[in-house]
Amino acid sequence: DNYAWVDLTGGEIDETIIAHGSNFAQTTPATVWAITHNLGYRPVVQAWDNSGTELDGAVTHVTVNLTTITFLTAESGIARLA
């Protein structure tokens, strides 16, 4: 199954990790973030809104190079894939 809930809590961005990871910016609020990362594997995903609060969403690995995150409400922010 390529569908998993991601529970992200804590609410703080670790700037060191963000700076060294593969990052995606969603600048326009959306309920689905489609992330073409070309990593060649299904990465661990974390997401934060623009204020630095971690987001809860459903991660789907469509392929080894395309991941989506689905939220209940439209969100914008940053996703880190590792």
Side-chain angles (χ1 to χ4, degrees):
D1 188 1
N2 290 333
Y3 189 84
W5 279 100
V6 177
D7 180 21
L8 305 171
T9 59
E12 303 217 1
I13 295 176
D14 182 333
E15 296 295 339
T16 304
I17 292 174
I18 292 296
H20 293 95
S22 177
N23 302 316
F24 170 81
Q26 178 69 41
T27 57
T28 304
T31 55
V32 178
W33 296 5
I35 306 168
T36 302
H37 49 76
N38 295 317
L39 293 171
Y41 61 90
R42 293 178 172 95
V44 173
V45 179
Q46 291 181 288
W48 295 267
D49 67 15
N50 292 321
S51 68
T53 301
E54 290 187 77
L55 299 171
D56 291 326
V59 174
T60 303
H61 297 290
V62 180
T63 69
V64 295
N65 293 311
L66 174 63
T67 299
T68 62
I69 310 172
T70 303
F71 301 102
L72 296 177
T73 60
E75 302 286 354
S76 61
I78 297 170
R80 179 175 189 292
L81 295 86

